Amino acid sequence: MTNASSLERRLRSEVTGDVLFDAFNRGRYATDASFYQIMPAGVVLPKTMDEALRALAIARDDGRKVTPRGGGTSQCGQTVNDGLIVDLSKHLNRILSLDVENRTCVVEPGIVLDDLNRQLKKHGLWFPVDVSTASRATIGGMAGNNSCGGRSLRYGTMRDNTLSMEAALADGTLARFGETSRDLSDIPASEATLALFRDMLDLGAREAGEIAARFPKVQRRVGGYNLDALVPRNAPNNMAHLLVGSEGTLAFTTKVELKLWPVIRNKVVGVCHFGSFYEAMDAAQHLVKLKPIAVELVDRTMIALGRDIAMFRPIISAAIKGDPDAVLVVEFAEEDQAENLARLKQLTELMADLCFGWNNDKRKWGGVVEITEPALQSGIADFRAAGLNVMMSMKQEGKPVSFVEDCAVPLPHLADYTARLNDVFAKHGTSGTMYAHASEGCLHVRPVLNLKLEKDVKAMRAIAEEAFALVREYKGSHSGEHGDGLVRSEFHETMFGERLVADFREVKKRFDPDNVLNPGKIVDAPKMDDRSLFRFRPDYRVNELKTKLDWSAWPGAGGGFQGAIEMCNNNGACRKLEGGVMCPSYRATRNEKDVTRGRANTLRLAISGQLGPGALASDEMMETLKLCVSCKACRHECPTGVDMAKMKIEVLAARAASHGLTLRDRLVGYLPRYAGLASALAPLANLRNRSAVLRKLFERFAGISARRALPAFRRDVFVPPAASVGPKAGHEVVLFIDTFNRIYERENLDAALRVLTAGGYRVHLPQPSGGGRPPCCGRTFLSAGLVDEAKAELDRLVAAFAPFAARGVPIVGLEPSCLLTLRDELASLRKDNDAKTVGAHALTFEEFLVREAEAGRLQLPLGAVADKAMVHGHCHQKSFGAFKPVEQVLRLIPGLKVETIESSCCGMAGAFGYGADTYDASIEMAELSLLPAVRRADQATLVVADGTSCRHQIHDGAQREALHVARVLAMSLDRATTQSMTSPVAKDNNHG
């Protein structure tokens, strides 16, 4: 601890970036996407490359190991170690230069692949090593692993597309690694690395025969060091190719020069169906003869799991025919679309030549579903890219485990290899999942095991040894894409032989004599089944804990709370920077603490006692969850279903139980119960907004930012005009009068009533049987961890709404967060039939109108209101698939062009945006895309947002009034009436 403290002190004094040495932050960096966990001494996030190199020097002086890290998505344990972790992803992520004409660029190692390609796209270029983790994988990490991606058949691997690298050796020496002549005559005599390069090329010449004999002849070979880059050849040797795939063990990368390609402009996809997995694998060698850019496998297990994931269900329905054992997704992307269509036709003919047909028996059942629609092609690509997370979505103790993950064998042997591998799995009492790169003979293969059990750890060891023996027999590679790390490095001697492994050690020693850089990877690795290095060590325990919500879909303590937390496999889909909603706080801060993965890891460490007693309800846990806006995006977009919003409720409940409530908690949570009094005393209740002194006092004592005006209470709150309104013979509907619209924006409820009655509906406005205020969903209580109070509110609501739901009457709400509580948290608090029926009949306002329109029952006389509307979707609408109906309803208005703002969370998120400690983060989230888009809109454009919080954020940040869809429709009704009254026919009628 003394050494660690001295290291921390020096880093804090000499580095301006984040320096993290507390247990919570170190724990967040102790894992990657593998099954390993090693607690680092500390973490540093340098702001400049000079700071990164300074951190390297300080750690070296302190005798500490250094491990560079990007997205932390390594599946073999490459980015975990017990020294200093240097995270380059937050700050060192720029394009340093771009040569469009020569199709090259130079980047910092922390740049994310998708971010790079977004910037290149406007120049018609892209970097085509398209790994499935492209939304979070950094170029430095991809170079470290020699990543390949799904289209390496056309574009090659990371090595093939890396022109040069600049890096620091462990002693701080800076060097450029690139093409060089064999005699090194192009390297100045003064260059510090001249002797190093000479030694490496001499090694290559000395070992050329052994390398030729022992290195597998498959493209997907990333095991060991790339000694074949050093052997004598006609073309220049590229010394950067020795660094590619070295997993941060040889040098600390500072710049990477990349080869770029023209973007794909035209594409078609053929989904080849097979009734037999073996036949699918056997067919791959024939399909590649048509020269596709990719042939990707999706097996039966992945299809079945995908059907249970909301975001993928429609894609599978559209692309999958019948019940295949496997499909091969074949992609053609030539410049000429006519050529692509011709090859797609040839694919269908080839499948027929291979004797596959839709009417054949199972072994030869199959055919091609042709996909030419770009949106569906993208959906298929997204599904395949999510393969790992889809496989990991199994809600059980056993999970598909990565250790023979990406062995590669020559294509003619692929069918036999996979059949024999399945026999190996069966021999050890398990089965496996298989997917991905059939075109390269490199399948992502994962047997299902529970690594908490000693017997399954022993099975893993045996399977690894037998699987690698098969790979050697077929002259394949035991490490085909995801690197060596802690999983495969141990097996290099059996794969490459004793002599080449000695060469690997010689290379490591020559580059890094003091073993500073990421030791234990590639050479001198621990045993892959050393359980002291596992995430679930032999002493891993979660004691029973009391929970408030229903977690019974998962195994483990807390009624399944443990299992729900452990669903996070650290693959990091939540670290994406664009598209969807997840994770808005990370997009604003780029901190591991503020991403769903970081929070899930912290929860796992807390409930298992690894962060000390009381960690679940601690101040540090509150800091971990502080910027979680409960947007529920992870519930929908995390392929393994990690629902951090729901988990946060449990933590807040534990916190409230052990620490009590703050004044802010009480003001927010109990709002529905004191709103009536506040409304009656509206001038007094609103005084805080008009007084600078009161604003400061509220900030000091209640934690509510003085920079925000609170929503204004009003005396004319919405009061139901009757128990029911509208035509008595009309179709029935219940209107859920939520607290926010009732007390702050009754215009929305008035407008909704107007629209529903104009449409001919009989609208019920039920009240609790005991009288008092209208039903409430308990949302504000949940946000304060007051689960029992929330349940009491929901009990009142269910009692009022259940009689209507029992006879099939839909329950329609305006505020998404309130209405969708009935489809989500209600089911976690009550399991009775009344609650289930209410939840099943709960619809957002737009969902109901779309359903009615599709049934031919919606007859609304609508008139033009504007030329254009810009729409921001509420996070919960997006999470529950309820946003598309918003667009559909607005398009019912004549002449209205609807444009969706591509935004994540607005940043207000209920009370979040009002917090003194969260105000800045709230504005940062809004400024990512929402507020700039609203500011660009002209004054004639309508701004539409259903969420109360969203409308307030837009008002505060862009000084524009955003409207609920109900108000836009009411305006349209008014315009239709006006137009009718001023039309020539109407004038004649009036005159008559």
Side-chain angles (χ1 to χ4, degrees):
M1 289 303 295
T2 302
N3 288 338
S5 296
S6 67
L7 175 63
E8 179 181 0
R9 284 196 299 271
R10 284 196 62 190
L11 286 169
R12 290 193 184 282
S13 66
E14 300 182 42
V15 173
T16 62
D18 297 332
V19 176
L20 310 172
F21 273 72
D22 63 283
F24 278 69
N25 273 305
R26 289 189 297 121
R28 287 187 270 270
Y29 282 86
T31 54
D32 54 13
S34 70
F35 53 81
Y36 294 107
Q37 176 178 299
I38 302 176
M39 192 68 75
V43 182
V44 62
L45 290 81
K47 288 187 175 180
T48 67
M49 192 55 73
D50 285 344
E51 283 193 355
L53 298 179
R54 187 67 195 138
L56 172 62
I58 292 170
R60 183 180 62 243
D61 291 348
D62 204 64
R64 291 285 178 174
K65 307 167 186 175
V66 174
T67 298
R69 177 165 165 140
T73 60
S74 303
Q75 294 181 33
C76 303
Q78 290 95 319
T79 60
V80 294
N81 228 318
D82 60 6
L84 181 69
I85 303 292
V86 183
D87 183 347
L88 304 173
S89 66
K90 182 174 181 177
H91 299 295
L92 300 175
N93 48 31
R94 298 173 298 160
I95 296 178
L96 299 174
S97 66
L98 172 62
D99 184 340
V100 175
E101 183 178 354
N102 292 307
R103 298 178 185 167
T104 66
C105 70
V106 178
V107 302
E108 290 179 316
I111 191 169
V112 170
L113 175 58
D114 271 357
D115 192 30
L116 170 63
N117 278 332
R118 275 190 288 269
Q119 298 179 62
L120 294 175
K121 187 176 181 179
K122 59 188 174 186
H123 302 288
L125 299 173
W126 77 311
F127 187 66
V129 185
D130 56 337
V131 294
S132 62
T133 52
S135 64
R136 59 271 194 199
T138 62
I139 292 296
M142 291 171 62
N145 272 3
N146 190 12
S147 296
C148 301
R151 298 184 174 103
S152 62
L153 194 64
R154 169 68 57 86
Y155 297 107
T157 67
M158 190 72 193
R159 170 178 170 174
D160 300 316
N161 291 280
T162 299
L163 300 175
S164 70
M165 299 172 72
E166 293 185 25
L169 301 182
D171 64 3
T173 300
L174 291 171
R176 181 181 184 277
F177 294 77
E179 285 192 350
T180 184
S181 62
R182 189 73 198 173
D183 63 3
L184 300 177
S185 58
D186 50 352
I187 304 293
S190 59
E191 190 71 36
T193 53
L194 179 60
L196 173 65
F197 287 1
R198 181 176 291 116
D199 289 347
M200 292 299 100
L201 293 177
D202 287 348
L203 184 151
R206 184 187 79 216
E207 300 294 346
E210 187 73 2
I211 291 167
R214 298 302 297 259
F215 269 42
K217 306 300 188 292
V218 291
Q219 185 187 50
R220 293 300 188 96
R221 182 206 59 75
V222 302
Y225 293 125
N226 290 326
L227 302 185
D228 55 331
L230 305 174
V231 301
R233 61 186 68 221
N234 294 328
N237 290 87
N238 192 324
M239 301 305 292
H241 293 174
L242 182 59
L243 293 190
V244 173
S246 64
E247 302 185 357
T249 62
L250 299 183
F252 189 99
T253 303
T254 60
K255 298 178 183 178
V256 187
E257 183 184 13
L258 303 172
K259 176 183 177 181
L260 306 177
W261 295 69
V263 295
I264 293 176
R265 301 190 184 280
N266 295 303
K267 184 170 65 175
V268 297
V269 171
V271 182
C272 298
H273 289 55
F274 299 88
S276 160
F277 184 89
Y278 182 93
E279 293 292 338
M281 296 301 91
D282 190 55
Q285 61 186 308
H286 304 292
L287 302 186
V288 297
K289 295 174 183 176
L290 297 178
K291 297 185 177 179
I293 66 169
V295 180
E296 296 285 286
L297 166 68
V298 177
D299 76 351
R300 171 184 292 277
T301 302
M302 186 171 168
I303 293 170
L305 290 170
R307 285 188 171 121
D308 288 334
I309 298 173
M311 64 189 297
F312 296 130
R313 193 175 300 121
I315 296 164
I316 294 172
S317 297
I320 302 298
K321 181 176 180 177
D323 185 29
D325 209 31
V327 299
L328 292 176
V329 180
V330 183
E331 188 175 76
F332 300 102
E334 303 304 316
E335 188 70 22
D336 181 7
Q337 184 70 344
E339 175 62 23
N340 292 328
L341 293 170
R343 293 196 193 184
L344 192 56
K345 182 180 179 182
Q346 291 170 12
L347 179 65
T348 299
E349 294 169 350
L350 177 58
M351 286 287 286
D353 291 343
L354 294 172
C355 301
F356 293 102
W358 297 115
N359 296 320
N360 293 352
D361 62 15
K362 184 176 177 61
R363 191 177 74 84
K364 284 294 184 178
W365 175 88
V368 181
V369 172
E370 299 181 359
I371 310 291
T372 57
E373 180 189 348
L376 184 53
Q377 291 175 5
S378 297
I380 293 168
D382 290 344
F383 175 58
R384 216 305 292 151
L388 167 60
N389 284 323
V390 171
M391 293 301 191
M392 296 299 286
S393 67
M394 296 179 179
K395 294 179 180 179
Q396 59 187 47
E397 290 276 17
K399 296 285 193 297
V401 180
S402 171
F403 62 99
V404 289
E405 163 76 11
D406 57 338
C407 298
V409 299
L411 273 182
H413 302 303
L414 184 59
D416 286 339
Y417 165 70
T418 53
R420 292 176 67 186
L421 194 58
N422 276 324
D423 290 341
V424 170
F425 295 162
K427 172 184 172 183
H428 294 284
T430 186
S431 60
T433 63
M434 298 187 185
Y435 66 100
H437 317 304
S439 55
E440 301 280 9
C442 178
L443 301 185
H444 295 336
V445 177
R446 291 185 165 220
V448 176
L449 297 167
N450 178 5
L451 295 188
K452 295 175 184 175
L453 303 178
E454 178 66 22
K455 70 178 185 64
D456 279 21
V457 175
K458 289 180 177 178
M460 177 178 72
R461 176 89 200 181
I463 290 170
E465 292 174 350
E466 293 176 42
F468 294 156
L470 288 177
V471 171
R472 288 196 303 274
E473 180 182 335
Y474 291 119
K475 301 188 184 309
S477 170
H478 74 310
S479 185
E481 179 177 20
H482 292 152
D484 301 333
L486 298 170
V487 170
R488 281 189 279 267
S489 297
E490 174 197 346
F491 297 96
H492 285 338
E493 191 161 313
T494 58
M495 298 302 300
F496 292 105
E498 186 177 332
R499 181 170 167 179
L500 284 181
V501 169
D503 293 333
F504 294 162
R505 289 197 181 95
E506 182 179 338
V507 170
K508 171 67 173 174
K509 186 73 173 177
R510 185 64 181 84
F511 270 83
D512 181 20
D514 295 324
N515 208 24
V516 171
L517 296 173
N518 204 21
K521 321 295 162 53
I522 300 182
V523 300
D524 300 322
K527 292 289 186 182
M528 61 90 75
D529 55 339
D530 180 351
R531 294 188 70 189
S532 69
L533 304 178
F534 280 21
R535 190 181 306 170
F536 303 121
R537 301 180 183 189
D539 61 349
Y540 181 86
R541 297 286 185 278
V542 176
N543 293 327
E544 194 50 60
L545 64 159
K546 186 177 181 180
T547 52
K548 293 285 190 178
L549 304 176
D550 176 35
W551 301 96
S552 59
W554 295 270
F561 186 47
Q562 172 191 352
I565 292 170
E566 291 173 357
M567 287 298 293
C568 178
N569 66 0
N570 284 274
N571 200 250
C574 42
R575 285 174 62 100
K576 63 184 178 182
L577 299 174
E578 285 194 9
V581 178
M582 181 177 69
C583 177
S585 48
Y586 174 75
R587 294 183 186 193
T589 70
R590 302 285 187 94
N591 290 328
E592 184 70 17
K593 171 179 72 69
D594 300 320
V595 72
T596 304
R597 178 180 74 177
R599 295 171 184 132
N601 271 322
T602 306
L603 286 171
R604 177 179 53 80
L605 292 168
I607 64 172
S608 58
Q610 296 179 70
L611 295 176
L616 188 64
S618 66
D619 291 346
E620 293 88 347
M621 184 62 76
M622 291 302 101
E623 184 66 23
T624 299
L625 293 174
K626 183 171 76 174
L627 298 189
C628 173
V629 293
S630 298
C631 64
K632 294 184 181 290
C634 49
R635 174 195 170 278
H636 176 67
E637 296 174 31
C638 172
T640 61
V642 174
D643 188 346
M644 190 52 59
K646 185 177 176 183
M647 293 175 186
K648 184 176 180 179
I649 293 172
E650 284 290 1
V651 177
L652 291 172
R655 175 75 175 187
S658 62
H659 289 71
L661 297 176
T662 65
L663 177 57
R664 179 178 164 189
D665 290 335
R666 294 182 185 279
L667 287 173
V668 172
Y670 284 92
L671 172 65
R673 296 189 186 171
Y674 68 75
L677 177 61
S679 296
L681 303 173
L684 181 62
N686 295 330
L687 186 60
R688 176 262 178 201
N689 285 350
R690 301 191 298 272
S691 167
V693 173
L694 287 177
R695 283 191 180 218
K696 290 179 180 177
L697 288 173
F698 263 70
E699 180 165 304
R700 180 177 179 183
F701 294 105
I704 295 173
S705 174
R707 291 175 283 180
R708 287 277 193 197
L710 291 171
F713 290 100
R714 53 199 292 176
R715 283 177 167 169
D716 63 330
V717 298
F718 180 87
V719 177
S724 301
V725 297
K728 291 185 177 180
H731 288 282
E732 294 180 288
V733 61
V734 168
L735 181 61
F736 174 16
I737 305 169
D738 66 273
T739 299
F740 302 109
N741 283 303
R742 179 172 66 88
I743 64 175
Y744 296 131
E745 296 180 84
R746 66 163 296 167
E747 294 84 2
N748 298 325
L749 289 165
D750 291 331
L753 269 182
R754 170 111 193 279
V755 170
L756 292 172
T757 55
Y761 296 95
R762 182 66 172 173
V763 185
H764 300 292
L765 305 167
Q767 299 298 299
S769 57
R773 55 191 170 79
C776 172
C777 69
R779 178 93 254 149
T780 59
F781 288 111
L782 291 172
S783 71
L786 298 169
V787 179
D788 292 338
E789 299 291 347
K791 183 177 182 300
E793 294 296 326
L794 284 166
D795 287 344
R796 295 175 71 246
L797 181 147
V798 169
F801 289 176
F804 296 95
R807 63 173 197 264
V809 179
I811 299 163
V812 175
L814 302 187
E815 173 57 39
S817 62
C818 294
L819 184 282
L820 293 169
T821 298
L822 310 187
R823 300 215 307 240
D824 189 13
E825 286 89 357
L826 175 58
S828 288
L829 291 170
R830 288 183 52 163
K831 290 295 185 183
D832 57 284
N833 287 334
D834 282 352
K836 291 177 182 177
T837 305
V838 167
H841 286 81
L843 296 168
T844 65
F845 182 67
E846 296 84 4
E847 285 178 317
F848 172 73
L849 293 180
V850 167
R851 191 181 79 172
E852 294 298 289
E854 290 175 348
R857 291 192 292 265
L858 184 64
Q859 302 297 325
L860 284 176
L862 299 176
V865 293
D867 292 331
K868 183 179 177 181
M870 296 190 69
V871 189
H872 166 70
H874 189 285
C875 295
H876 293 189
Q877 286 176 323
K878 296 172 183 175
S879 177
F880 287 85
F883 178 63
K884 185 178 179 181
V886 176
E887 300 171 312
Q888 292 173 289
V889 166
L890 288 172
R891 290 192 176 105
L892 296 176
I893 298 173
L896 185 64
K897 179 183 177 183
V898 179
E899 179 180 318
T900 296
I901 301 172
E902 291 299 326
S903 55
S904 180
C905 179
C906 73
M908 186 63 91
F912 178 86
Y914 294 100
D917 57 344
T918 52
Y919 173 85
D920 290 331
S922 167
I923 295 300
E924 285 180 43
M925 292 180 202
E927 291 289 358
L928 289 173
S929 58
L930 173 60
L931 293 182
V934 173
R935 293 189 194 108
R936 288 193 297 267
D938 60 48
Q939 290 300 313
T941 296
L942 297 178
V943 179
V944 181
D946 276 355
T948 300
S949 297
C950 308
R951 293 191 294 274
H952 286 208
Q953 182 77 303
I954 291 168
H955 176 270
D956 289 356
Q959 291 74 54
R960 289 289 298 269
E961 181 185 14
L963 302 173
H964 193 286
V965 170
R967 288 187 64 188
V968 179
L969 289 175
M971 289 163 53
S972 183
L973 287 172
D974 290 340
R975 188 61 56 87
T977 301
T978 303
Q979 290 167 351
S980 173
M981 293 297 293
T982 58
S983 70
V985 173
K987 288 180 179 179
D988 289 344
N989 288 342
N990 289 340
H991 178 72

